[in-house]
Amino acid sequence: MVGNLLIVGTVFASHSLDSPMYVFLAYLSIMDAVYATSTSPKLIMDLLVDKKTISFTACMAQLFTAHLSGGAEVFLLVVMAFDRYVAICKPLHYLTIMNRKICILLLVIAWQVAIAAGCKTTTSAVMVNCLRQKTEDELMQINLKLKPSKVNLFEDPRESCPFLPTVVDGEFLPKSPEEILAEKNFKTVPYMVGINKLCVIKEYLGGAEDIVKNRDLFVDLIGDVLFALPSVIVARPYRYAGAPVYMYEFQYHPSFSSDLKPETVMGDHGDELFSVFGAPFTKGGASSEEINISKMMMKFWGNFARNGNPNEKTLPVWPEYNQKEGYLKIGTTTQAAHGLKDKEVAFWTKVWTKEAVENPLQEKN
């Protein structure tokens, strides 16, 4: 345990040890430390007492932690082997291929595959032997369980990689989220979802020559793809299923937000949480405008938590996200609006539909 923690501390504290090999080594030490401590604390306690019992919940927690960390450890060893292969066989391209994005992706995949494989992970040898015994069909089923969305990391549509795959376990998620939403097979409880307005831009890279403007346009594009569009795409089928849906767009730059954020950023990801939890009251130095916005948002969120509806007589009217697609703009001027990101959703739907037609998914058994 001490050795693992020493390795982790050394790697993260030293700026000279930031290569992928040392990053993987640090995460391997973390996984090994978790694996080693999943059962040892209880074992040590049992040595000191006469009554040696354990609850079913605690026992299952130990088994889950040991299997998860042990499985992820084995797959991380495979990732480390790939890292050494690239370093030896393609030394001039090593830093380009094994960049930070690829390293994080490989770490995520290691954890996801460990969950989906279902092999015993008492030792690395047992895990490897289990995988070797699996047939091609079983390995294909593991891949289908992961339900990977694809991300292009190499500027080549033939080289797409799985990113943050969803594990369809048959119990908690009987099908993929897309299929569940399409079939309306879920509890229609009240649903609140919103986005933050990153910058005051309405078009994507529309031939602007200004470098700063192009930067802002690109930031808006990324914000739409990662946050805005998924929010709208999920809210619509939820609405079709008959559930009350309330959407918002947060358009305010908190005074105590990071000084590193550019002035063009009106509301960054998560900035509304400062107001929801009353940060203007606890941090001090906030303007009366900011305090009033925080009071309003706390009332909205409190009403929604109690009643499933954020509205009350003393607050601005928050329209339900129905067929008219009403939503609330929250900021210096809080008011109702319609059609949140409707043009952007239509644009990206057209792009994705065209891509699906030109590059149909072909599954090979």
Side-chain angles (χ1 to χ4, degrees):
M1 185 65 182
V2 176
N4 285 323
L5 294 178
L6 183 62
I7 292 173
V8 173
T10 303
V11 171
F12 287 118
S14 176
H15 296 291
S16 60
L17 300 178
D18 58 351
S19 67
M21 180 182 70
Y22 294 109
V23 173
F24 290 142
L25 180 62
Y27 278 96
L28 183 66
S29 297
I30 292 174
M31 294 176 188
D32 192 53
V34 173
Y35 181 79
T37 55
S38 59
T39 57
S40 54
K42 177 63 178 172
L43 177 62
I44 295 173
M45 290 177 60
D46 286 345
L47 293 175
L48 302 176
V49 297
D50 295 330
K51 188 178 180 180
K52 300 175 175 59
T53 59
I54 184 172
S55 66
F56 177 79
T57 303
C59 181
M60 290 299 101
Q62 286 185 352
L63 287 173
F64 173 79
T65 305
H67 281 70
L68 178 61
S69 58
E73 185 177 338
V74 172
F75 285 104
L76 184 55
L77 290 172
V78 176
V79 170
M80 294 175 72
F82 173 73
D83 172 70
R84 292 299 86 201
Y85 161 79
V86 175
I88 295 171
C89 297
K90 297 185 178 182
L92 298 180
H93 299 281
Y94 175 69
L95 294 179
T96 302
I97 297 174
M98 297 300 294
N99 54 51
R100 183 167 292 274
K101 184 188 294 185
I102 294 294
C103 292
I104 295 174
L105 176 64
L106 292 174
L107 287 171
V108 170
I109 292 174
W111 283 97
Q112 292 286 348
V113 174
I115 295 172
C119 289
K120 292 183 178 180
T121 56
T122 51
T123 66
S124 299
V126 171
M127 185 70 181
V128 172
N129 183 64
C130 172
L131 290 173
R132 285 176 176 171
Q133 300 301 319
K134 290 188 178 293
T135 64
E136 293 182 2
D137 290 338
E138 288 175 326
L139 293 175
M140 282 297 298
Q141 288 301 316
I142 292 174
N143 182 58
L144 292 175
K145 279 185 178 181
L146 293 174
K147 285 287 182 181
S149 56
K150 298 292 183 177
V151 62
N152 189 343
L153 299 172
F154 307 106
E155 305 301 330
D156 185 344
R158 298 168 299 178
E159 298 292 337
S160 295
C161 296
F163 180 68
L164 297 180
T166 302
V167 178
V168 180
D169 59 357
E171 295 294 334
F172 185 79
L173 282 179
K175 297 180 181 179
S176 69
E178 293 84 0
E179 292 175 303
I180 294 174
L181 287 172
E183 295 174 0
K184 303 177 184 177
N185 185 23
F186 52 86
K187 298 291 184 181
T188 53
V189 297
Y191 179 52
M192 178 189 288
V193 61
I195 63 173
N196 293 351
K197 192 173 183 64
L198 292 176
C199 48
V200 191
I201 301 295
K202 295 186 181 296
E203 297 176 349
Y204 296 136
L205 305 175
E209 299 294 335
D210 189 340
I211 296 177
V212 175
K213 187 175 182 180
N214 276 331
R215 177 205 64 190
D216 295 338
L217 287 164
F218 181 72
V219 168
D220 200 40
L221 184 152
I222 296 299
D224 279 355
V225 172
L226 294 181
F227 302 110
L229 271 69
S231 297
V232 175
I233 291 171
V234 170
R236 285 180 174 176
Y238 210 84
R239 175 192 72 198
Y240 296 146
V245 179
Y246 295 91
M247 291 200 71
Y248 67 89
E249 184 180 43
F250 187 70
Q251 303 179 342
Y252 193 81
H253 185 91
S255 61
F256 37 80
S257 187
S258 173
D259 295 333
L260 299 177
K261 296 177 183 177
E263 295 180 358
T264 55
V265 177
M266 295 182 65
D268 201 1
H269 181 54
D271 273 355
E272 75 271 32
L273 296 179
F274 289 108
S275 296
V276 171
F277 291 105
F281 300 97
T282 58
K283 292 182 177 294
S287 64
S288 58
E289 177 185 77
E290 195 166 12
I291 290 175
N292 289 333
I293 290 175
S294 181
K295 287 180 179 179
M296 176 185 66
M297 293 185 68
M298 286 192 287
K299 287 183 179 179
F300 274 136
W301 264 249
N303 291 338
F304 183 80
R306 286 191 296 270
N307 312 314
N309 188 329
N311 287 292
E312 68 172 57
K313 293 181 179 179
T314 61
L315 296 173
V317 177
W318 187 332
E320 188 174 332
Y321 191 74
N322 50 28
Q323 298 299 327
K324 296 181 179 180
E325 298 196 343
Y327 69 99
L328 189 67
K329 291 182 178 180
I330 301 176
T332 304
T333 302
T334 299
Q335 59 186 2
H338 297 277
L340 178 61
K341 296 291 181 181
D342 52 353
K343 293 181 180 179
E344 288 81 356
V345 171
F347 167 76
W348 283 105
T349 300
K350 182 179 178 181
V351 171
W352 290 330
T353 302
K354 182 180 178 181
E355 182 180 356
V357 172
E358 294 177 352
N359 302 291
L361 180 63
Q362 297 179 353
E363 292 187 0
K364 297 181 180 180
N365 293 323

